[in-house]
Amino acid sequence: MTGVNKAVLIGHLGRNPDIRHNRAGDQIATFSLATSESWRDKATGERKDRTEWHNVVVFDENICKVVEQYLKKGSLVYLEGKIRTREYDGKDGIKRRATEIVLERFRGELQMLTSQSNRPPPAEDADAYGTTSTRAEASKSIAEAINDDIPF
């Protein structure tokens, strides 16, 4: 018998991501993700909120690069991964358990849902990538292209 282990979450990062390397030199990103729900209590009419915190571990190299470069505390993300529980010995010698959402190599997905206000404007064509231009130059070239060869 086969089972399905898949977690799908949309939430905000509770802290800036932590980027580390394992013994083999591979990047590992960790962060906490808050998912919230709200409802009205039928008895009192009072608005209630509940926030769940999820520990996320990313082993996929490409997703780690995105996490390191673009995500920060408060970023809104969509992610898909597996639920995994691991045991470890605490500093006090007591066995502990941690449940995490794991994005494995080639098996996880992460999408940024927060807009990036510091992104440069898109290039007009593929040859323009990697060159520097100002908004005034881009506006001027668009205006010239519109005024050229008007058929009426």
Side-chain angles (χ1 to χ4, degrees), residues 82-100:
K82 287 184 173 185
I83 301 170
R84 185 170 297 154
T85 303
R86 63 181 173 89
E87 289 186 356
Y88 64 97
D89 291 328
K91 292 179 182 176
D92 54 5
I94 298 173
K95 279 204 180 281
R96 302 192 187 276
R97 295 172 60 118
T99 301
E100 303 164 327

Side-chain angles (χ1 to χ4, degrees), residues 57-69:
V57 182
V58 180
F59 291 106
D60 185 282
E61 178 182 335
N62 294 321
I63 297 175
C64 279
K65 289 178 185 176
V66 170
V67 168
E68 180 178 34
Q69 191 169 4

Side-chain angles (χ1 to χ4, degrees), residues 37-50:
E37 61 180 321
S38 60
W39 69 94
R40 287 222 180 266
D41 188 335
K42 290 182 180 179
T44 64
E46 182 183 348
R47 185 175 179 87
K48 302 256 183 172
D49 295 304
R50 179 181 11 237

